[in-house]
Amino acid sequence: MTALPDVSPEPIVYLNGEVVPLSEARVPVLDRGFIFGDGIYEVAPLYAHAGGRTAFRFEQHLARLARSLAKVGIANPFDNAGWRALIERVVAANEAEAGLAAGQDAIAYIQVTRGVAKRGHAFPAGIQPTVFLMVTPLNLPDAALRAEGVRCVSAEDRRWLNCDIKSVSLLGNVLMAQYAAENDAFETIQFRDGMLTEGSSSNVWVVKDGVLSAPPRSQKILEGIRYGLIEELSAECGIRFEVREMNEAEVRAADEIILSSATKEVLPVTQLDSQPVGEGKPGAVFAALYDAYQRAKANEAQEAQQGAKNDPRERITV
Ligand code: PDD
């Protein structure tokens, strides 16, 4: 038996109806997630606050999960209430049995594959999706990293043209993350045909003369849940926001470059391919967005604690 990688304390996970320690969760090798990368995933932060944890922008994570599943023809195994109940159950199990401490931010990792079948490329009839949920502690970038910013490298985006689907077929992204690691960088910023797309696991934002720009939503990027959020936060902060294609020269001449993702929130890029970005330190737009992001978290936590009875958005409080 292959040893479990170091994930101590061992999380409690959900797999196909069972809530078990990670080492007891087994998937048959003919699972199409293993054989073909035929599956979808979602990564949602569960931010801790005084009253528990709030699944931040959870309704949007669930909507993206539903969209991704629909695009590849896998039936969504739960409705939104079902997903929320499942996460609450797994969080409770981790608190009770896996040392998930109150006040600790967490990440919900959801994966749904097409299921288990005799190997053959086209969709098999009549199989059940494999459903996996794991809740693990989330350690957000610390103040020192935010103050320093991160180094990035750049590379040609060679991924497929369905990057809007949050598929577990991530080899293209894995190679880009490895390229960053080998070059002592935090992330690889990708360009397709000379135009900015995104990082290996983050969206990329560019600031020039006080204007915040993002590449258009398209099949060339995964629309992060932070994409719409940052759009909202920039309006709240009075930062001018534009969606537009950006070429390499524009990105290299940026005053600021910012990364966003569930596990990074927003992070300033202070070096790209060994050249300083702007003045080589985190900029004012980053600082404003970071503060606004923290306010958005606090607001959601407060609304969740108050029950948010008339709030049409769905969220869980765990
Ligand atoms: N990745 N683009 C890509 C390719 C990503 O993998 C991610 C997130 C994002 C940002 O999306 P969001 O704001 O919803 O986190 C953009 C997650 C964190 C991951 O794969 O672990």
Side-chain angles (χ1 to χ4, degrees):
M1 180 62 62
T2 315
L4 195 67
D6 179 17
V7 286
S8 62
E10 186 179 353
I12 310 291
V13 304
Y14 170 92
L15 179 66
N16 295 335
E18 310 273 331
V19 174
V20 292
L22 182 62
S23 58
E24 289 172 28
R26 303 277 158 76
V27 180
V29 290
L30 284 181
D31 192 285
R32 290 175 61 97
F34 180 65
I35 297 285
F36 293 120
D38 183 1
I40 294 301
Y41 76 110
E42 196 46 59
V43 178
L46 310 175
Y47 292 131
H49 53 79
R53 285 186 197 82
T54 304
F56 186 65
R57 300 270 152 152
F58 194 52
E59 69 283 1
Q60 289 154 18
H61 281 280
L62 288 178
R64 184 173 66 184
L65 176 64
R67 259 191 336 263
S68 291
L69 288 168
K71 281 181 179 169
V72 301
I74 298 176
N76 196 337
F78 295 109
D79 61 14
N80 286 2
W83 282 116
R84 285 198 304 281
L86 187 61
I87 290 182
E88 282 177 28
R89 184 173 157 206
V90 173
V91 166
N94 278 280
E95 285 174 342
E97 296 164 52
L100 182 65
Q104 166 73 63
D105 294 324
I107 271 288
Y109 175 86
I110 295 172
Q111 179 170 330
V112 182
T113 76
R114 196 175 307 279
V116 181
K118 186 171 160 225
R119 187 176 182 278
H121 289 60
F123 303 172
I127 60 169
Q128 289 298 314
T130 297
V131 185
F132 176 61
L133 166 66
M134 176 167 64
V135 173
T136 49
L138 165 65
N139 295 313
L140 288 166
D142 61 17
L145 191 64
R146 292 198 309 274
E148 176 136 348
V150 296
R151 291 162 36 81
C152 288
V153 285
S154 68
E156 175 70 18
D157 191 340
R158 298 180 189 280
R159 299 172 304 159
W160 70 336
L161 283 166
N162 295 100
C163 297
D164 55 318
I165 301 173
K166 202 161 172 63
S167 158
V168 295
S169 303
L170 283 173
L171 189 53
N173 304 57
V174 164
L175 293 176
M176 288 293 102
Q178 179 60 18
Y179 179 69
E182 284 170 4
N183 287 283
D184 197 23
F186 185 85
E187 176 63 296
T188 300
I189 292 178
Q190 301 173 92
F191 294 91
R192 193 187 286 274
D193 302 326
M195 306 309 269
L196 174 65
T197 55
E198 61 179 347
S200 72
S201 62
S202 20
N203 288 122
V204 178
W205 306 79
V206 172
V207 180
K208 186 71 184 175
D209 299 329
V211 180
L212 176 68
S213 300
R217 293 173 168 91
S218 77
Q219 293 182 323
K220 294 181 199 164
I221 64 169
L222 179 79
E223 183 188 333
I225 300 311
R226 271 127 289 277
Y227 191 112
L229 172 68
I230 289 171
E231 227 174 322
E232 284 171 34
L233 298 181
S234 62
E236 183 189 309
C237 297
I239 298 165
R240 224 176 100 207
F241 176 68
E242 274 181 0
V243 172
R244 62 187 183 89
E245 299 278 3
M246 280 168 278
N247 64 32
E248 273 197 58
E250 288 175 280
V251 175
R252 293 185 195 287
D255 297 330
E256 296 182 46
I257 300 176
I258 298 166
L259 304 176
S260 68
S261 81
T263 50
K264 304 174 191 87
E265 299 189 334
V266 282
L267 256 190
V269 178
T270 44
Q271 245 188 57
L272 177 59
D273 294 330
S274 303
Q275 297 300 312
V277 175
E279 292 173 5
K281 48 187 208 290
V285 171
F286 162 73
L289 289 176
Y290 179 79
D291 289 348
Y293 195 117
Q294 302 313 307
R295 286 197 299 276
K297 282 163 66 170
N299 288 344
E300 275 212 15
Q302 201 182 18
E303 285 172 33
Q305 284 181 84
Q306 287 166 351
K309 287 199 182 58
N310 300 318
D311 189 340
R313 292 177 298 171
E314 292 164 353
R315 64 165 57 84
I316 63 164
T317 307
V318 289

mmCIF file with all atom_site columns, all heavy atoms in Angstrom, residues 254-275:
data_model
loop_
_atom_site.group_PDB
_atom_site.id
_atom_site.type_symbol
_atom_site.label_atom_id
_atom_site.label_alt_id
_atom_site.label_comp_id
_atom_site.label_asym_id
_atom_site.label_entity_id
_atom_site.label_seq_id
_atom_site.pdbx_PDB_ins_code
_atom_site.Cartn_x
_atom_site.Cartn_y
_atom_site.Cartn_z
_atom_site.occupancy
_atom_site.B_iso_or_equiv
_atom_site.pdbx_formal_charge
_atom_site.auth_seq_id
_atom_site.auth_comp_id
_atom_site.auth_asym_id
_atom_site.auth_atom_id
_atom_site.pdbx_PDB_model_num
ATOM 1   N N   . ALA A 1 254 ? 3.731  47.612 -16.474 1.00 0.00 ? 254 ALA A N   1
ATOM 2   C CA  . ALA A 1 254 ? 2.697  47.903 -15.465 1.00 0.00 ? 254 ALA A CA  1
ATOM 3   C C   . ALA A 1 254 ? 3.289  48.608 -14.260 1.00 0.00 ? 254 ALA A C   1
ATOM 4   O O   . ALA A 1 254 ? 4.458  48.412 -13.910 1.00 0.00 ? 254 ALA A O   1
ATOM 5   C CB  . ALA A 1 254 ? 2.038  46.601 -15.027 1.00 0.00 ? 254 ALA A CB  1
ATOM 6   N N   . ASP A 1 255 ? 2.451  49.400 -13.587 1.00 0.00 ? 255 ASP A N   1
ATOM 7   C CA  . ASP A 1 255 ? 2.840  49.972 -12.296 1.00 0.00 ? 255 ASP A CA  1
ATOM 8   C C   . ASP A 1 255 ? 2.702  48.915 -11.205 1.00 0.00 ? 255 ASP A C   1
ATOM 9   O O   . ASP A 1 255 ? 3.458  48.901 -10.238 1.00 0.00 ? 255 ASP A O   1
ATOM 10  C CB  . ASP A 1 255 ? 1.944  51.167 -11.946 1.00 0.00 ? 255 ASP A CB  1
ATOM 11  C CG  . ASP A 1 255 ? 2.093  52.302 -12.947 1.00 0.00 ? 255 ASP A CG  1
ATOM 12  O OD1 . ASP A 1 255 ? 3.197  52.435 -13.522 1.00 0.00 ? 255 ASP A OD1 1
ATOM 13  O OD2 . ASP A 1 255 ? 1.107  53.031 -13.170 1.00 0.00 ? 255 ASP A OD2 1
ATOM 14  N N   . GLU A 1 256 ? 1.658  48.081 -11.353 1.00 0.00 ? 256 GLU A N   1
ATOM 15  C CA  . GLU A 1 256 ? 1.432  47.000 -10.386 1.00 0.00 ? 256 GLU A CA  1
ATOM 16  C C   . GLU A 1 256 ? 0.907  45.778 -11.138 1.00 0.00 ? 256 GLU A C   1
ATOM 17  O O   . GLU A 1 256 ? 0.181  45.929 -12.129 1.00 0.00 ? 256 GLU A O   1
ATOM 18  C CB  . GLU A 1 256 ? 0.343  47.383 -9.365  1.00 0.00 ? 256 GLU A CB  1
ATOM 19  C CG  . GLU A 1 256 ? 0.663  48.539 -8.462  1.00 0.00 ? 256 GLU A CG  1
ATOM 20  C CD  . GLU A 1 256 ? -0.478 48.796 -7.462  1.00 0.00 ? 256 GLU A CD  1
ATOM 21  O OE1 . GLU A 1 256 ? -0.987 47.837 -6.857  1.00 0.00 ? 256 GLU A OE1 1
ATOM 22  O OE2 . GLU A 1 256 ? -0.849 49.979 -7.310  1.00 0.00 ? 256 GLU A OE2 1
ATOM 23  N N   . ILE A 1 257 ? 1.248  44.606 -10.636 1.00 0.00 ? 257 ILE A N   1
ATOM 24  C CA  . ILE A 1 257 ? 0.613  43.360 -11.074 1.00 0.00 ? 257 ILE A CA  1
ATOM 25  C C   . ILE A 1 257 ? 0.128  42.667 -9.804  1.00 0.00 ? 257 ILE A C   1
ATOM 26  O O   . ILE A 1 257 ? 0.817  42.671 -8.778  1.00 0.00 ? 257 ILE A O   1
ATOM 27  C CB  . ILE A 1 257 ? 1.591  42.452 -11.854 1.00 0.00 ? 257 ILE A CB  1
ATOM 28  C CG1 . ILE A 1 257 ? 2.119  43.183 -13.108 1.00 0.00 ? 257 ILE A CG1 1
ATOM 29  C CG2 . ILE A 1 257 ? 0.919  41.136 -12.250 1.00 0.00 ? 257 ILE A CG2 1
ATOM 30  C CD1 . ILE A 1 257 ? 3.181  42.398 -13.891 1.00 0.00 ? 257 ILE A CD1 1
ATOM 31  N N   . ILE A 1 258 ? -1.075 42.109 -9.883  1.00 0.00 ? 258 ILE A N   1
ATOM 32  C CA  . ILE A 1 258 ? -1.690 41.490 -8.701  1.00 0.00 ? 258 ILE A CA  1
ATOM 33  C C   . ILE A 1 258 ? -2.195 40.103 -9.095  1.00 0.00 ? 258 ILE A C   1
ATOM 34  O O   . ILE A 1 258 ? -2.733 39.930 -10.198 1.00 0.00 ? 258 ILE A O   1
ATOM 35  C CB  . ILE A 1 258 ? -2.863 42.366 -8.198  1.00 0.00 ? 258 ILE A CB  1
ATOM 36  C CG1 . ILE A 1 258 ? -2.347 43.756 -7.783  1.00 0.00 ? 258 ILE A CG1 1
ATOM 37  C CG2 . ILE A 1 258 ? -3.602 41.698 -7.034  1.00 0.00 ? 258 ILE A CG2 1
ATOM 38  C CD1 . ILE A 1 258 ? -3.441 44.810 -7.588  1.00 0.00 ? 258 ILE A CD1 1
ATOM 39  N N   . LEU A 1 259 ? -2.004 39.130 -8.210  1.00 0.00 ? 259 LEU A N   1
ATOM 40  C CA  . LEU A 1 259 ? -2.569 37.789 -8.397  1.00 0.00 ? 259 LEU A CA  1
ATOM 41  C C   . LEU A 1 259 ? -3.787 37.646 -7.493  1.00 0.00 ? 259 LEU A C   1
ATOM 42  O O   . LEU A 1 259 ? -3.815 38.229 -6.403  1.00 0.00 ? 259 LEU A O   1
ATOM 43  C CB  . LEU A 1 259 ? -1.560 36.705 -7.991  1.00 0.00 ? 259 LEU A CB  1
ATOM 44  C CG  . LEU A 1 259 ? -0.191 36.705 -8.660  1.00 0.00 ? 259 LEU A CG  1
ATOM 45  C CD1 . LEU A 1 259 ? 0.687  35.609 -8.041  1.00 0.00 ? 259 LEU A CD1 1
ATOM 46  C CD2 . LEU A 1 259 ? -0.321 36.497 -10.172 1.00 0.00 ? 259 LEU A CD2 1
ATOM 47  N N   . SER A 1 260 ? -4.757 36.836 -7.927  1.00 0.00 ? 260 SER A N   1
ATOM 48  C CA  . SER A 1 260 ? -5.880 36.537 -7.019  1.00 0.00 ? 260 SER A CA  1
ATOM 49  C C   . SER A 1 260 ? -6.260 35.072 -7.133  1.00 0.00 ? 260 SER A C   1
ATOM 50  O O   . SER A 1 260 ? -6.202 34.479 -8.205  1.00 0.00 ? 260 SER A O   1
ATOM 51  C CB  . SER A 1 260 ? -7.095 37.417 -7.350  1.00 0.00 ? 260 SER A CB  1
ATOM 52  O OG  . SER A 1 260 ? -7.642 37.075 -8.603  1.00 0.00 ? 260 SER A OG  1
ATOM 53  N N   . SER A 1 261 ? -6.636 34.500 -6.005  1.00 0.00 ? 261 SER A N   1
ATOM 54  C CA  . SER A 1 261 ? -7.225 33.152 -5.971  1.00 0.00 ? 261 SER A CA  1
ATOM 55  C C   . SER A 1 261 ? -7.777 32.910 -4.566  1.00 0.00 ? 261 SER A C   1
ATOM 56  O O   . SER A 1 261 ? -7.484 33.668 -3.637  1.00 0.00 ? 261 SER A O   1
ATOM 57  C CB  . SER A 1 261 ? -6.202 32.061 -6.315  1.00 0.00 ? 261 SER A CB  1
ATOM 58  O OG  . SER A 1 261 ? -5.411 31.759 -5.188  1.00 0.00 ? 261 SER A OG  1
ATOM 59  N N   . ALA A 1 262 ? -8.525 31.816 -4.449  1.00 0.00 ? 262 ALA A N   1
ATOM 60  C CA  . ALA A 1 262 ? -9.140 31.470 -3.162  1.00 0.00 ? 262 ALA A CA  1
ATOM 61  C C   . ALA A 1 262 ? -8.090 31.341 -2.068  1.00 0.00 ? 262 ALA A C   1
ATOM 62  O O   . ALA A 1 262 ? -8.329 31.717 -0.923  1.00 0.00 ? 262 ALA A O   1
ATOM 63  C CB  . ALA A 1 262 ? -9.907 30.160 -3.296  1.00 0.00 ? 262 ALA A CB  1
ATOM 64  N N   . THR A 1 263 ? -6.934 30.792 -2.409  1.00 0.00 ? 263 THR A N   1
ATOM 65  C CA  . THR A 1 263 ? -5.919 30.515 -1.385  1.00 0.00 ? 263 THR A CA  1
ATOM 66  C C   . THR A 1 263 ? -4.911 31.654 -1.228  1.00 0.00 ? 263 THR A C   1
ATOM 67  O O   . THR A 1 263 ? -4.105 31.638 -0.304  1.00 0.00 ? 263 THR A O   1
ATOM 68  C CB  . THR A 1 263 ? -5.169 29.212 -1.719  1.00 0.00 ? 263 THR A CB  1
ATOM 69  O OG1 . THR A 1 263 ? -4.742 29.283 -3.085  1.00 0.00 ? 263 THR A OG1 1
ATOM 70  C CG2 . THR A 1 263 ? -6.065 28.006 -1.537  1.00 0.00 ? 263 THR A CG2 1
ATOM 71  N N   . LYS A 1 264 ? -4.943 32.635 -2.142  1.00 0.00 ? 264 LYS A N   1
ATOM 72  C CA  . LYS A 1 264 ? -4.008 33.766 -2.060  1.00 0.00 ? 264 LYS A CA  1
ATOM 73  C C   . LYS A 1 264 ? -4.720 35.065 -1.717  1.00 0.00 ? 264 LYS A C   1
ATOM 74  O O   . LYS A 1 264 ? -4.061 36.052 -1.406  1.00 0.00 ? 264 LYS A O   1
ATOM 75  C CB  . LYS A 1 264 ? -3.304 33.982 -3.405  1.00 0.00 ? 264 LYS A CB  1
ATOM 76  C CG  . LYS A 1 264 ? -2.577 32.780 -3.952  1.00 0.00 ? 264 LYS A CG  1
ATOM 77  C CD  . LYS A 1 264 ? -2.045 33.059 -5.369  1.00 0.00 ? 264 LYS A CD  1
ATOM 78  C CE  . LYS A 1 264 ? -1.540 31.792 -6.036  1.00 0.00 ? 264 LYS A CE  1
ATOM 79  N NZ  . LYS A 1 264 ? -2.594 31.033 -6.746  1.00 0.00 ? 264 LYS A NZ  1
ATOM 80  N N   . GLU A 1 265 ? -6.043 35.089 -1.836  1.00 0.00 ? 265 GLU A N   1
ATOM 81  C CA  . GLU A 1 265 ? -6.807 36.340 -1.799  1.00 0.00 ? 265 GLU A CA  1
ATOM 82  C C   . GLU A 1 265 ? -6.231 37.248 -2.885  1.00 0.00 ? 265 GLU A C   1
ATOM 83  O O   . GLU A 1 265 ? -6.340 36.926 -4.061  1.00 0.00 ? 265 GLU A O   1
ATOM 84  C CB  . GLU A 1 265 ? -6.760 36.979 -0.405  1.00 0.00 ? 265 GLU A CB  1
ATOM 85  C CG  . GLU A 1 265 ? -7.376 36.054 0.640   1.00 0.00 ? 265 GLU A CG  1
ATOM 86  C CD  . GLU A 1 265 ? -7.556 36.700 1.992   1.00 0.00 ? 265 GLU A CD  1
ATOM 87  O OE1 . GLU A 1 265 ? -6.818 37.645 2.324   1.00 0.00 ? 265 GLU A OE1 1
ATOM 88  O OE2 . GLU A 1 265 ? -8.452 36.243 2.743   1.00 0.00 ? 265 GLU A OE2 1
ATOM 89  N N   . VAL A 1 266 ? -5.596 38.388 -2.510  1.00 0.00 ? 266 VAL A N   1
ATOM 90  C CA  . VAL A 1 266 ? -4.866 39.177 -3.512  1.00 0.00 ? 266 VAL A CA  1
ATOM 91  C C   . VAL A 1 266 ? -3.421 39.281 -3.053  1.00 0.00 ? 266 VAL A C   1
ATOM 92  O O   . VAL A 1 266 ? -3.152 39.398 -1.861  1.00 0.00 ? 266 VAL A O   1
ATOM 93  C CB  . VAL A 1 266 ? -5.472 40.591 -3.708  1.00 0.00 ? 266 VAL A CB  1
ATOM 94  C CG1 . VAL A 1 266 ? -6.728 40.535 -4.562  1.00 0.00 ? 266 VAL A CG1 1
ATOM 95  C CG2 . VAL A 1 266 ? -5.767 41.274 -2.374  1.00 0.00 ? 266 VAL A CG2 1
ATOM 96  N N   . LEU A 1 267 ? -2.515 39.183 -3.992  1.00 0.00 ? 267 LEU A N   1
ATOM 97  C CA  . LEU A 1 267 ? -1.084 39.218 -3.663  1.00 0.00 ? 267 LEU A CA  1
ATOM 98  C C   . LEU A 1 267 ? -0.363 40.080 -4.691  1.00 0.00 ? 267 LEU A C   1
ATOM 99  O O   . LEU A 1 267 ? -0.605 39.936 -5.904  1.00 0.00 ? 267 LEU A O   1
ATOM 100 C CB  . LEU A 1 267 ? -0.492 37.813 -3.777  1.00 0.00 ? 267 LEU A CB  1
ATOM 101 C CG  . LEU A 1 267 ? -0.185 36.994 -2.542  1.00 0.00 ? 267 LEU A CG  1
ATOM 102 C CD1 . LEU A 1 267 ? 0.611  35.766 -2.945  1.00 0.00 ? 267 LEU A CD1 1
ATOM 103 C CD2 . LEU A 1 267 ? 0.584  37.801 -1.493  1.00 0.00 ? 267 LEU A CD2 1
ATOM 104 N N   . PRO A 1 268 ? 0.522  40.957 -4.240  1.00 0.00 ? 268 PRO A N   1
ATOM 105 C CA  . PRO A 1 268 ? 1.234  41.804 -5.196  1.00 0.00 ? 268 PRO A CA  1
ATOM 106 C C   . PRO A 1 268 ? 2.433  41.079 -5.826  1.00 0.00 ? 268 PRO A C   1
ATOM 107 O O   . PRO A 1 268 ? 3.152  40.357 -5.143  1.00 0.00 ? 268 PRO A O   1
ATOM 108 C CB  . PRO A 1 268 ? 1.726  42.962 -4.319  1.00 0.00 ? 268 PRO A CB  1
ATOM 109 C CG  . PRO A 1 268 ? 1.858  42.370 -2.948  1.00 0.00 ? 268 PRO A CG  1
ATOM 110 C CD  . PRO A 1 268 ? 0.872  41.246 -2.837  1.00 0.00 ? 268 PRO A CD  1
ATOM 111 N N   . VAL A 1 269 ? 2.603  41.287 -7.123  1.00 0.00 ? 269 VAL A N   1
ATOM 112 C CA  . VAL A 1 269 ? 3.780  40.755 -7.833  1.00 0.00 ? 269 VAL A CA  1
ATOM 113 C C   . VAL A 1 269 ? 4.783  41.891 -7.920  1.00 0.00 ? 269 VAL A C   1
ATOM 114 O O   . VAL A 1 269 ? 4.469  42.952 -8.474  1.00 0.00 ? 269 VAL A O   1
ATOM 115 C CB  . VAL A 1 269 ? 3.400  40.284 -9.256  1.00 0.00 ? 269 VAL A CB  1
ATOM 116 C CG1 . VAL A 1 269 ? 4.630  39.779 -10.004 1.00 0.00 ? 269 VAL A CG1 1
ATOM 117 C CG2 . VAL A 1 269 ? 2.311  39.225 -9.202  1.00 0.00 ? 269 VAL A CG2 1
ATOM 118 N N   . THR A 1 270 ? 5.977  41.688 -7.371  1.00 0.00 ? 270 THR A N   1
ATOM 119 C CA  . THR A 1 270 ? 6.947  42.795 -7.371  1.00 0.00 ? 270 THR A CA  1
ATOM 120 C C   . THR A 1 270 ? 8.108  42.558 -8.338  1.00 0.00 ? 270 THR A C   1
ATOM 121 O O   . THR A 1 270 ? 8.921  43.449 -8.557  1.00 0.00 ? 270 THR A O   1
ATOM 122 C CB  . THR A 1 270 ? 7.454  43.069 -5.943  1.00 0.00 ? 270 THR A CB  1
ATOM 123 O OG1 . THR A 1 270 ? 7.739  41.828 -5.302  1.00 0.00 ? 270 THR A OG1 1
ATOM 124 C CG2 . THR A 1 270 ? 6.396  43.793 -5.125  1.00 0.00 ? 270 THR A CG2 1
ATOM 125 N N   . GLN A 1 271 ? 8.169  41.354 -8.906  1.00 0.00 ? 271 GLN A N   1
ATOM 126 C CA  . GLN A 1 271 ? 9.195  41.088 -9.926  1.00 0.00 ? 271 GLN A CA  1
ATOM 127 C C   . GLN A 1 271 ? 8.612  40.182 -10.989 1.00 0.00 ? 271 GLN A C   1
ATOM 128 O O   . GLN A 1 271 ? 7.941  39.203 -10.668 1.00 0.00 ? 271 GLN A O   1
ATOM 129 C CB  . GLN A 1 271 ? 10.360 40.331 -9.289  1.00 0.00 ? 271 GLN A CB  1
ATOM 130 C CG  . GLN A 1 271 ? 11.654 41.105 -9.267  1.00 0.00 ? 271 GLN A CG  1
ATOM 131 C CD  . GLN A 1 271 ? 12.792 40.200 -8.788  1.00 0.00 ? 271 GLN A CD  1
ATOM 132 O OE1 . GLN A 1 271 ? 13.058 39.143 -9.358  1.00 0.00 ? 271 GLN A OE1 1
ATOM 133 N NE2 . GLN A 1 271 ? 13.438 40.614 -7.729  1.00 0.00 ? 271 GLN A NE2 1
ATOM 134 N N   . LEU A 1 272 ? 8.865  40.499 -12.241 1.00 0.00 ? 272 LEU A N   1
ATOM 135 C CA  . LEU A 1 272 ? 8.457  39.613 -13.340 1.00 0.00 ? 272 LEU A CA  1
ATOM 136 C C   . LEU A 1 272 ? 9.680  39.343 -14.207 1.00 0.00 ? 272 LEU A C   1
ATOM 137 O O   . LEU A 1 272 ? 10.307 40.293 -14.716 1.00 0.00 ? 272 LEU A O   1
ATOM 138 C CB  . LEU A 1 272 ? 7.338  40.273 -14.165 1.00 0.00 ? 272 LEU A CB  1
ATOM 139 C CG  . LEU A 1 272 ? 6.871  39.485 -15.396 1.00 0.00 ? 272 LEU A CG  1
ATOM 140 C CD1 . LEU A 1 272 ? 6.354  38.095 -15.024 1.00 0.00 ? 272 LEU A CD1 1
ATOM 141 C CD2 . LEU A 1 272 ? 5.786  40.262 -16.150 1.00 0.00 ? 272 LEU A CD2 1
ATOM 142 N N   . ASP A 1 273 ? 10.018 38.089 -14.351 1.00 0.00 ? 273 ASP A N   1
ATOM 143 C CA  . ASP A 1 273 ? 11.211 37.695 -15.116 1.00 0.00 ? 273 ASP A CA  1
ATOM 144 C C   . ASP A 1 273 ? 12.430 38.518 -14.686 1.00 0.00 ? 273 ASP A C   1
ATOM 145 O O   . ASP A 1 273 ? 13.144 39.091 -15.525 1.00 0.00 ? 273 ASP A O   1
ATOM 146 C CB  . ASP A 1 273 ? 10.954 37.850 -16.622 1.00 0.00 ? 273 ASP A CB  1
ATOM 147 C CG  . ASP A 1 273 ? 9.895  36.876 -17.122 1.00 0.00 ? 273 ASP A CG  1
ATOM 148 O OD1 . ASP A 1 273 ? 9.771  35.778 -16.547 1.00 0.00 ? 273 ASP A OD1 1
ATOM 149 O OD2 . ASP A 1 273 ? 9.173  37.223 -18.080 1.00 0.00 ? 273 ASP A OD2 1
ATOM 150 N N   . SER A 1 274 ? 12.613 38.598 -13.386 1.00 0.00 ? 274 SER A N   1
ATOM 151 C CA  . SER A 1 274 ? 13.778 39.265 -12.761 1.00 0.00 ? 274 SER A CA  1
ATOM 152 C C   . SER A 1 274 ? 13.808 40.780 -12.925 1.00 0.00 ? 274 SER A C   1
ATOM 153 O O   . SER A 1 274 ? 14.780 41.426 -12.528 1.00 0.00 ? 274 SER A O   1
ATOM 154 C CB  . SER A 1 274 ? 15.108 38.680 -13.277 1.00 0.00 ? 274 SER A CB  1
ATOM 155 O OG  . SER A 1 274 ? 15.137 37.303 -13.030 1.00 0.00 ? 274 SER A OG  1
ATOM 156 N N   . GLN A 1 275 ? 12.761 41.356 -13.484 1.00 0.00 ? 275 GLN A N   1
ATOM 157 C CA  . GLN A 1 275 ? 12.675 42.830 -13.583 1.00 0.00 ? 275 GLN A CA  1
ATOM 158 C C   . GLN A 1 275 ? 11.676 43.329 -12.533 1.00 0.00 ? 275 GLN A C   1
ATOM 159 O O   . GLN A 1 275 ? 10.640 42.684 -12.322 1.00 0.00 ? 275 GLN A O   1
ATOM 160 C CB  . GLN A 1 275 ? 12.161 43.254 -14.968 1.00 0.00 ? 275 GLN A CB  1
ATOM 161 C CG  . GLN A 1 275 ? 13.068 42.861 -16.120 1.00 0.00 ? 275 GLN A CG  1
ATOM 162 C CD  . GLN A 1 275 ? 14.449 43.491 -15.991 1.00 0.00 ? 275 GLN A CD  1
ATOM 163 O OE1 . GLN A 1 275 ? 14.573 44.692 -15.744 1.00 0.00 ? 275 GLN A OE1 1
ATOM 164 N NE2 . GLN A 1 275 ? 15.494 42.661 -16.110 1.00 0.00 ? 275 GLN A NE2 1
#
